[in-house]
Amino acid sequence: MDPSLVQQSGKKSVFMGILIFIFPFTMVHTITMSFRPEFRPSNQLSIGIYKGVGIVLGAITTSQFVGVSHLLNQLRITNSQLGHLALASTLVSELLRFAYSSLLGYMEAMLFIARRAGVQAIIFSMMLVAFIVVVLRGLVLWSIRNTPQDRPMKEIYITFVVGMILTLASVGDTVGMYYLFGPFLLGLVIPAGSPLATSLIAKVETPAAGIFAPIMVVFCSTSLDLEKFLRNYAKVLPFRISLIGYFLKLGFTFVVALGFELPVRDAAAYTLIVNVKGILEIGVLLSFGNLGSRQLDSTSAIFLIFILASIAPPIIRLLYDPSKQYIGYKRKCLQYAPDNAPLHILACAHRQDDAVAVIKFLEFSNPTRQSPLTVYGLGLEELISSSTPLLVNHQLGQKKSTTKARPRSHNILDVFNYFESQFGNNKLATVHTFTAISYLKQMHEDICSLAFHKAASLIVLPFHNKWNGRGHMVCGNEDLRHLNLNVLNRAPCSVAILVDRRMAMGLSSMFVTSAVYRVTVLFVGGSDDREALALAMRMAGSPRVHLTVVQFTVDVQDETVVDRWEAMLDAEALRVVKLEMPTNSNIKLVEERVRDGSDTSCIVREMGGNVDLVVVGRRHDTGCQALSGLAQWMEVPELGPLGDVLASQDFTAAASVLVIQQQIMKASHSSILN
């Protein structure tokens, strides 16, 4: 866990976490108090009920941070706004639960054992906490500092930490603390994202989650006796009380969510998320229950947990779709961007090379005082050793953790800061840097959310394939490809995928400024081609940019006009180009007549080395004769037919390629997602 999540969560999640902590504990102690044997000495049944109700009701009504994190990861909504709220509020609840459990244990020791025993438990617990926070934290940070960069932790460090986990659990239980509190606190002092955290995950996760947890679930399953449970249902009072308590907790959480102005569907989804049940609750019953003797109370509780764990995820999927908040109701694209307003661009980078490629493109995007450029540089890092994703705003002085940040992130940010130093002094460009640390399968939520809240008109993503200095493709990350696809389907603005084919010139290319930057736009028709043309025309305002617009046309008798409105918009976009040509000699319009996609592909492949950037649209009409046959041979559909040709091995020019998709508006968003 990363404790900074509590500081970044805001007042809403803190208050919600406090409320969802107070209600179950108040309910548990109120109900169990009525069954205490000393209050009902004549009722022998109350002794068994008192032991069962507290355990079962507490397990059913308590919100668990790790369980919530696992569910959000399973549903792939960890990075959504609702996911962040659920994580933050349950973390607050978890911290309060541990503190309250320890305090309650001390009070019971002082009241029912001896005052001296309670005082000793408090003193020993404080000493244990101080030992963890001061001594163990110092040793952890020392081991991290003494580990060379990009090298794994020594086995002796990992063995020591694992040994301390078991030792702290035993010592904590001996001095009167909840046995999980020591390991929990140790997990908080180990910095998230550090080499030690990563190594611990790699070493411990497989035996814990892959072996011991399934064995525990199977053991508990063998303890279930459904026939006995149904036959004695009337006698299982703890089960009925816990079921009523669970629904009361659901109702209370739903009211709290509505009170903090969440929409009804989001409030219902939040209620189910923070009240999810699973393996942690089974572990509680295994620790404190009596499953080995097939006790009826424990059997009924395990049965209830299995039911709740199975029905919650599909209901949450029906209630909450984070992509709906990004559906376009207002134009946020380049074609309709005003000429006298700042242009907001979100530039994403996984590596330093990605950042270098994107600033070379931004360098020639022609920022002016009338229309300055606002760039949001987003470094993307995969979440490995933490349960909480982070979106770090470096303008606020935030850091990823208490340890030294990893070099890859710093190198990416340095590239964006260098771009600002070149243009910021003239007030032509402003750069804001961020770092998104998340699972790759959910990272699109961070990208779309940041673009949405910053009102970006364009998101620039790096292509998942890379090329070496000989022009050969050397790597292709499928996870990054799926990330790009998710952004294309959900983005609140236009999206561009930048294919960097500059023969891997490296970091040195950032300091080389070309006197002329040659841009070519391949225009077939459609909204994406008009978006590509709008970007290129903005770039053509710079005297260093030479723009060539290649229009592919077919004979009139061979072309079927499917959408006359789209054809009229295409003609208007080309008319603007023709009007600019007399006043700007750097703009040329070339018309290429083709019969089908084969002719178009040949012309594209014959483009030589006299171009630095090729800009194309991603989507085209399925009946377009100029591209007929190309869609059937596409290897990378997210680039479209022309982008696929330009990114293939057959295209040998050392030119970068920018594939643009115009913003998906509300009318067409549903069909694309489906």
Side-chain angles (χ1 to χ4, degrees):
M1 300 182 188
D2 192 336
S4 64
L5 181 66
V6 179
Q7 300 175 355
Q8 303 171 11
S9 58
K11 295 181 179 179
K12 176 191 291 187
S13 56
V14 172
F15 285 125
M16 293 178 74
I18 294 174
L19 291 174
I20 64 175
F21 158 76
I22 291 176
F23 180 78
F25 276 88
T26 303
M27 180 173 56
V28 169
H29 288 288
T30 301
I31 294 177
T32 54
M33 186 68 68
S34 62
F35 290 103
R36 291 185 75 99
E38 56 267 30
F39 294 138
R40 290 190 176 186
S42 61
N43 190 354
Q44 296 298 324
L45 183 62
S46 64
I47 298 177
I49 294 176
Y50 172 67
K51 294 179 180 179
V53 168
I55 297 173
V56 178
L57 185 60
I60 295 299
T61 59
T62 301
S63 298
Q64 299 274 8
F65 174 85
V66 179
V68 170
S69 176
H70 176 73
L71 175 66
L72 293 175
N73 188 32
Q74 176 186 349
L75 298 175
R76 299 183 181 181
I77 56 173
T78 304
N79 290 1
S80 63
Q81 293 181 346
L82 196 65
H84 284 293
L85 180 62
L87 282 175
S89 57
T90 49
L91 179 55
V92 172
S93 176
E94 190 95 341
L95 294 170
L96 292 175
R97 183 171 65 88
F98 277 113
Y100 178 79
S101 299
S102 300
L103 180 61
L104 188 63
Y106 304 145
M107 294 178 61
E108 289 182 349
M110 296 177 68
L111 292 175
F112 299 106
I113 302 177
R115 182 174 302 226
R116 181 179 179 181
V119 174
Q120 287 179 343
I122 294 175
I123 294 175
F124 288 141
S125 298
M126 293 176 63
M127 293 174 60
L128 183 61
V129 171
F131 174 75
I132 296 172
V133 174
V134 178
V135 179
L136 290 184
R137 182 175 181 271
L139 291 175
V140 164
L141 296 179
W142 175 84
S143 66
I144 294 174
R145 286 194 298 267
N146 283 272
T147 300
Q149 295 178 358
D150 301 325
R151 297 290 299 274
M153 298 288 293
K154 293 182 179 179
E155 289 293 331
I156 185 65
Y157 299 152
I158 307 298
T159 305
F160 173 77
V161 173
V162 173
M164 288 309 304
I165 292 173
L166 303 176
T167 302
L168 291 174
S170 177
V171 173
D173 185 64
T174 302
V175 302
M177 297 173 61
Y178 183 44
Y179 75 99
L180 289 179
F181 185 74
F184 174 82
L185 191 59
L186 179 61
L188 290 180
V189 301
I190 296 177
S194 64
L196 179 58
T198 305
S199 300
L200 278 173
I201 291 293
K203 294 287 185 180
V204 178
E205 186 175 29
T206 298
I211 300 176
F212 294 124
I215 290 176
M216 185 180 73
V217 173
V218 171
F219 171 73
C220 294
S221 301
T222 59
S223 301
L224 294 179
D225 192 339
L226 186 57
E227 181 183 358
K228 181 181 178 182
F229 166 70
L230 295 176
R231 189 173 62 249
N232 299 277
Y233 176 77
K235 300 179 182 179
V236 191
L237 187 57
F239 172 81
R240 289 183 288 168
I241 293 176
S242 300
L243 187 60
I244 294 173
Y246 180 77
F247 283 106
L248 287 176
K249 173 73 180 303
L250 289 179
F252 177 79
T253 308
F254 182 70
V255 172
V256 169
L258 291 179
F260 282 93
E261 299 180 348
L262 264 68
V264 176
R265 293 175 65 92
D266 290 1
Y270 172 83
T271 299
L272 293 175
I273 290 171
V274 300
N275 290 287
V276 65
K277 302 300 154 194
I279 194 170
L280 288 175
E281 288 74 20
I282 296 176
V284 170
L285 295 173
L286 183 61
S287 300
F288 299 103
N290 189 17
L291 297 179
S293 63
R294 293 178 178 264
Q295 185 185 14
L296 190 59
D297 292 341
S298 298
T299 297
S300 61
I302 296 293
F303 179 62
L304 177 60
I305 290 173
F306 281 167
I307 294 176
L308 298 177
S310 60
I311 66 174
I315 297 177
I316 295 172
R317 287 191 180 97
L318 292 175
L319 290 173
Y320 183 68
D321 181 6
S323 64
K324 289 184 178 180
Q325 63 180 312
Y326 309 129
I327 296 177
Y329 293 93
K330 182 180 179 181
R331 290 283 186 184
K332 295 301 299 180
C333 56
L334 301 172
Q335 183 181 356
Y336 299 100
D339 296 332
N340 57 351
L343 180 63
H344 299 266
I345 296 179
L346 174 60
C348 304
H350 300 282
R351 309 187 315 174
Q352 189 180 42
D353 292 343
D354 299 332
V356 173
V358 75
I359 70 163
K360 291 301 293 183
F361 154 67
L362 295 174
E363 179 182 349
F364 295 95
S365 59
N366 189 33
T368 62
R369 291 184 180 273
Q370 292 75 25
S371 181
L373 196 63
T374 301
V375 178
Y376 300 98
L378 181 61
L380 305 176
E381 292 194 18
E382 183 178 5
L383 178 65
I384 298 176
S385 56
S386 174
S387 295
T388 53
L390 296 175
L391 180 61
V392 183
N393 184 351
H394 296 282
Q395 272 59 49
L396 301 179
Q398 291 178 278
K399 298 180 180 179
K400 294 188 296 182
S401 66
T402 55
T403 62
K404 187 176 181 181
R406 284 183 284 182
R408 181 165 63 91
S409 175
H410 267 277
N411 293 339
I412 293 173
L413 301 180
D414 288 342
V415 172
F416 287 119
N417 291 330
Y418 171 79
F419 174 75
E420 184 179 29
S421 67
Q422 299 300 306
F423 293 90
N425 294 333
N426 299 326
K427 298 182 179 181
L428 299 179
T430 304
V431 177
H432 305 277
T433 53
F434 298 82
T435 299
I437 308 173
S438 177
Y439 301 107
L440 285 178
K441 293 181 179 179
Q442 304 173 24
M443 196 172 284
H444 60 275
E445 290 291 343
D446 279 330
I447 298 173
C448 294
S449 177
L450 186 60
F452 179 77
H453 289 99
K454 298 301 180 181
S457 296
L458 180 66
I459 299 173
V460 181
L461 300 170
F463 188 48
H464 66 279
N465 289 338
K466 306 298 177 185
W467 281 263
N468 60 14
R470 298 179 179 178
H472 299 148
M473 189 174 65
V474 293
C475 66
N477 192 322
E478 285 298 314
D479 289 334
L480 300 184
R481 179 186 180 185
H482 291 304
L483 170 62
N484 290 349
L485 285 170
N486 287 332
V487 175
L488 286 169
N489 291 336
R490 293 168 169 82
C493 60
S494 297
V495 182
I497 297 179
L498 181 59
V499 183
D500 183 20
R501 300 197 58 165
R502 297 170 303 108
M503 303 304 182
M505 296 172 62
L507 184 62
S508 60
S509 63
M510 182 173 62
F511 307 103
V512 178
T513 302
S514 303
V516 175
Y517 194 69
R518 295 156 297 186
V519 179
T520 297
V521 176
L522 305 183
F523 190 89
V524 178
S527 59
D528 290 356
D529 280 17
R530 294 194 298 271
E531 187 77 356
L533 187 58
L535 173 63
M537 290 299 293
R538 177 186 174 91
M539 298 175 69
S542 171
R544 293 192 297 164
V545 174
H546 290 195
L547 172 62
T548 301
V549 180
V550 180
Q551 179 190 7
F552 294 97
T553 60
V554 297
D555 293 334
V556 178
Q557 59 269 24
D558 296 333
E559 180 71 8
T560 302
V561 180
V562 178
D563 193 332
R564 296 188 179 277
W565 174 254
E566 286 290 318
M568 186 180 68
L569 293 176
D570 293 339
E572 176 62 22
L574 293 172
R575 189 183 68 86
V576 173
V577 175
K578 295 174 182 178
L579 289 176
E580 288 289 331
M581 290 174 59
T583 58
N584 190 340
S585 59
N586 292 335
I587 300 177
K588 293 192 303 180
L589 177 62
V590 179
E591 183 177 343
E592 296 283 357
R593 288 194 171 274
V594 294
R595 293 170 298 177
D596 51 24
S598 177
D599 290 351
T600 304
S601 178
C602 291
I603 294 174
V604 171
R605 288 192 174 95
E606 290 174 357
M607 294 174 59
N610 59 344
V611 60
D612 297 303
L613 177 68
V614 182
V615 187
V616 298
R618 174 177 179 253
R619 300 165 301 173
H620 299 88
D621 184 70
T622 55
C624 180
Q625 187 67 23
L627 300 177
S628 61
L630 293 182
Q632 287 77 8
W633 298 96
M634 281 194 300
E635 296 179 358
V636 192
E638 61 267 28
L639 297 183
L642 289 178
D644 183 78
V645 173
L646 293 167
S648 66
Q649 296 285 355
D650 297 333
F651 185 72
T652 58
S656 296
V657 181
L658 193 69
V659 181
I660 296 184
Q661 172 185 282
Q662 194 176 67
Q663 176 195 17
I664 302 173
M665 298 302 292
K666 180 176 181 290
S668 56
H669 197 278
S670 304
S671 60
I672 290 179
L673 286 180
N674 294 332

